[in-house]
Amino acid sequence: MRVLPVVLAFVALVALAGCSAAPEPRPKPISCAAGTAAGQGSSAQTNALQAWIKAYQIACPDATVEYAGTGSGAGVRAFLGGTGDFAGTDAVLGADDLRRAEQRCGGPAVHLPLVAGPIALAYNVAGVDELRLTPATIAQIFSGKVTVWNDPAIAADNPVAALPAIPIRTIHRADSSGTTDNFTRYLAGAAGPQWPHGIGGDWRAPGGTGEKGSHRVVAAVARTVGSIGYVESSYATVNDLPVAHIGAAGGPFTAPSDYAAGLAIEGATITDDLRIELRYDGTADYAYPMVLVSYEVVCRTGTPAVTRSFLAYAAGEAGQEAAQAAGYAALPEALRIRVRQAVLALT
């Protein structure tokens, strides 16, 4: 019998196959630095910052990174006043604030777009599993012109939905907010004259209920029957709230998603200093049009080593994967590379 040689040959083949198998991927390294870094600002990016801080401090035990979601306006004011190493903001600095930042830095200040995600319209309307809204209807709702859920304007966007005859209760940000700035920019660009209240971080339309911070907006929507409010999409997801699909009259209507937000960013204009100028004309099919891009503002020179190290991780592949796992859209690869290069140029 030749059983033993056959068995030995089989064992040899198994061993050879094991030797030729691809090695398991190694964890992506984080280039650590020792010390502390502190920032504050945009509440919309808080979940991403928390994910980054957790991963970074596990890898870098000699570093301490802190971030407070105080709102974009408060974060920028604190940074301009010399508090903290970076500011989180959902809107680029205006000319006056940019001059003050340069004075604070003793040189140029840099915008780093690190967090992106759709702005969702979270709602609390029993029996409405899918809500579709056009820009004009959204503008009329938040202007206080459309006040009940079965209004003809909403019914036209939702011809097969059973809309209840209950009051609409809008929820907006009470504090100065980059989410408000991005939301009003969308309304001004997409709804035109239906939105006469201008743009900016402070809410100017009449009526509604104001809440400080994204977490309080979603909490108010969750407890208020008939309500609708705007928040960064991850907050709606975490709180298990339904969100509206947005589109032009006649469609297509698109739900907020990482992929659809990425399409909108890919169609944006990116300036030499990494400011993202979004388009609101609805020409990009299946792009979700209401997108928030959140920045970290830092000094080009004099930024502490741990801040540079932390932001380099956030702009790397592993950092963007962590942001995506936290409910945000990863930056398009070409933009991510440019942002990381800008971080590595900090001194």
Side-chain angles (χ1 to χ4, degrees):
M1 296 181 64
R2 300 180 58 83
V3 173
L4 183 59
V6 171
V7 171
L8 292 176
F10 175 75
V11 171
L13 286 172
V14 171
L16 182 61
C19 292
S20 61
E24 293 185 4
R26 301 179 65 182
K28 297 175 181 177
I30 295 177
S31 180
C32 295
T36 62
Q40 62 175 292
S42 162
S43 63
Q45 61 173 263
T46 298
N47 293 337
L49 265 294
Q50 289 176 343
W52 289 338
I53 289 171
K54 179 180 179 180
Y56 184 82
Q57 292 191 159
I58 289 174
C60 307
D62 294 329
T64 300
V65 182
E66 298 177 346
Y67 182 81
T70 56
S72 295
V76 169
R77 288 193 296 272
F79 179 77
L80 297 179
T83 301
D85 304 300
F86 64 94
T89 175
D90 305 327
V92 297
L93 302 187
D96 290 343
D97 282 345
L98 190 58
R99 283 193 292 271
R100 293 176 61 195
E102 290 172 350
Q103 291 174 353
R104 181 256 159 122
C105 293
V110 180
H111 289 83
L112 301 170
L114 278 172
V115 180
I119 298 174
L121 292 177
Y123 66 94
N124 181 351
V125 184
V128 180
D129 297 325
E130 181 178 314
L131 178 66
R132 307 194 307 178
L133 296 173
T134 60
T137 305
I138 298 168
Q140 291 179 82
I141 288 172
F142 281 90
S143 291
K145 295 178 180 178
V146 169
T147 59
V148 292
W149 279 105
N150 65 343
D151 186 277
I154 302 178
D157 294 344
N158 300 269
V160 298
L163 299 167
I166 61 174
I168 297 174
R169 305 187 184 281
T170 58
I171 313 292
H172 60 264
R173 287 286 290 272
D175 51 336
S176 182
S177 160
T179 309
T180 297
D181 183 85
N182 282 272
F183 181 52
T184 55
R185 285 180 186 276
Y186 166 74
L187 290 177
Q194 296 286 356
W195 182 253
H197 307 294
I199 61 176
D202 297 314
W203 186 256
R204 299 173 184 172
T209 300
E211 297 286 350
K212 290 186 176 180
S214 299
H215 60 295
R216 290 190 176 93
V217 171
V218 292
V221 172
R223 68 173 179 264
T224 306
V225 174
S227 62
I228 185 169
Y230 59 90
V231 288
E232 198 283 323
S233 183
S234 66
Y235 283 88
T237 301
V238 168
N239 288 272
D240 197 27
L241 287 170
V243 295
H245 297 212
I246 309 302
F253 288 83
T254 305
S257 70
D258 294 344
Y259 175 74
L263 290 178
I265 296 171
E266 287 178 359
T269 298
I270 303 173
T271 66
D272 290 340
D273 57 354
L274 296 178
R275 301 181 188 215
I276 313 301
E277 297 177 354
L278 294 162
R279 298 172 58 183
Y280 302 120
D281 56 12
T283 56
D285 284 347
Y286 303 106
Y288 185 78
M290 238 172 9
V291 175
L292 176 149
V293 178
S294 201
Y295 303 80
E296 315 310 326
V297 177
V298 294
C299 297
R300 182 171 293 171
T301 60
T303 299
V306 70
T307 303
R308 302 197 307 269
S309 168
F310 173 71
L311 295 176
Y313 156 67
E317 292 182 4
Q320 288 300 299
E321 288 171 2
Q324 196 166 18
Y328 298 83
L331 298 177
E333 184 64 6
L335 175 60
R336 185 197 67 77
I337 291 172
R338 287 180 61 183
V339 174
R340 183 170 168 81
Q341 289 172 341
V343 174
L344 296 178
L346 301 176
T347 59

